Amino acid sequence: MQKHRELLKFAVVGGTAFLVDNTVFYGLKLTILEPKPVTAKVIAVLVATIVSYVLNREWSFRTRGGRERHHEAALFFLVSGVGLVLSSVPLWISRYVFLLETPDVSLVTQEIADFVSAQVIGTLIAMVFRFWAFRKWVFPDEEARPGRVRLAPAPEPKDEAA
């Protein structure tokens, strides 16, 4: 049950980070970084990652982990760095391998390809990886934070009829 609760909270945090990512990505891509969509994506993911760290640490995985904050943050950003690469690869492939950019394709085709590759495919790949890696390395269950209430299994009754 705890895993399902964490997954739901992780999904809400992910949805929030997704909105931050989209807002920053399109804000940059449609203005000052128009000719550099991958750079816009990297910046957007970095901003969304900071938001994600705070929300995951304080809400999604608040009963997990027991590392010093700087060690936990370093692991979080290392895992998120791998997630950043994973989320950027589909956009890079779309633009620079499949050449789905103007003038080779229409502006509408370019924008649809950018959205699908970066915001759908890249985000899903990175999300699956991050959930697994956060639970395994960043916020491991066996290192629960001190001061947090954790329910332990009830002790087995002793047989006194011997």
Side-chain angles (χ1 to χ4, degrees), residues 38 85 87-99 117-118:
V38 175
V85 171
S87 70
S88 300
V89 166
L91 176 61
W92 187 86
I93 291 170
S94 174
R95 280 291 184 109
Y96 305 117
V97 174
F98 296 142
L99 301 175
S117 62

Side-chain angles (χ1 to χ4, degrees), residues 26-72:
Y26 283 106
L28 293 172
K29 182 177 169 280
L30 299 175
T31 59
I32 61 174
L33 290 177
E34 185 178 351
K36 298 182 179 285
V38 175
T39 302
K41 180 62 177 171
V42 169
I43 292 169
V45 169
L46 289 173
V47 172
T49 299
I50 293 167
V51 170
S52 176
Y53 173 68
V54 172
L55 293 176
N56 275 305
R57 183 179 199 289
E58 299 303 325
W59 190 51
S60 303
F61 300 111
R62 73 171 209 205
T63 61
R64 289 176 158 268
R67 305 177 194 285
E68 293 179 27
R69 190 172 298 223
H70 69 278
H71 186 227
E72 181 181 84

